[in-house]
Amino acid sequence: VQLQASGGGLVQAGGSLRLSCAASGRTFFIRTMGWFRQAPGKEREFVAAIDWSGDSTDYADSVKGRFTISREKFKSTMYLQMNKLKTEDTAVYYCAADLRIDIIRKGYDYWGQGTQVTVSS
């Protein structure tokens, strides 16, 4: 399984960006998908996750109410709508996928390359 994240860029604080993640290869087995981010000098952290149906989601407290994760139902294309961006949201954002049904915050099987999100003040 290969994951390709896109949509990053430079935006002013308060602005919006939409990230996309497309999976290829043996995507039939993918169930849970998630977004993570890593800021310079910090560890990678969980941002959001979504289950196979797209009906259940989970968010880190730091993004709850500002970010929305979504996916095409029962498919392996995922999005992250980021609104009201803050300078502290600046990071490389990674998408991840797993074969487990339940939403998880760690232990993902597959990872994509990152896409840079920079929020200026």
Side-chain angles (χ1 to χ4, degrees):
V1 174
Q2 294 79 45
L3 301 173
Q4 179 75 37
S6 61
L10 173 64
V11 63
Q12 287 190 326
S16 299
L17 277 176
R18 187 189 194 214
L19 304 184
S20 299
C21 177
S24 60
R26 301 185 70 179
T27 61
F28 177 80
F29 300 100
I30 290 177
R31 296 297 180 262
T32 296
M33 298 184 76
W35 288 98
F36 291 75
R37 67 186 182 186
Q38 186 167 20
K42 295 186 177 181
E43 294 186 352
R44 186 169 58 191
E45 64 175 0
F46 168 79
V47 174
I50 190 166
D51 75 342
W52 177 227
S53 69
D55 293 335
S56 295
T57 57
D58 184 24
Y59 295 93
D61 289 343
S62 59
V63 306
K64 200 171 294 184
R66 300 187 297 122
F67 291 10
T68 303
I69 189 171
S70 62
R71 71 190 290 177
E72 297 179 24
K73 201 172 185 69
F74 303 123
K75 296 196 177 201
S76 301
T77 303
M78 174 179 65
Y79 307 96
L80 185 67
Q81 178 66 43
M82 305 185 294
N83 298 328
K84 300 179 182 178
L85 283 161
K86 305 176 181 180
T87 55
E88 51 262 46
D89 294 319
T90 295
V92 177
Y93 283 71
Y94 299 89
C95 60
D98 197 82
L99 310 183
R100 284 170 280 189
I101 295 174
D102 295 331
I103 290 180
I104 54 175
R105 289 192 171 199
K106 57 183 179 180
Y108 279 77
D109 292 327
Y110 304 101
W111 292 86
Q113 93 298 344
T115 184
Q116 176 70 46
V117 172
T118 303
V119 184
S120 63
S121 58

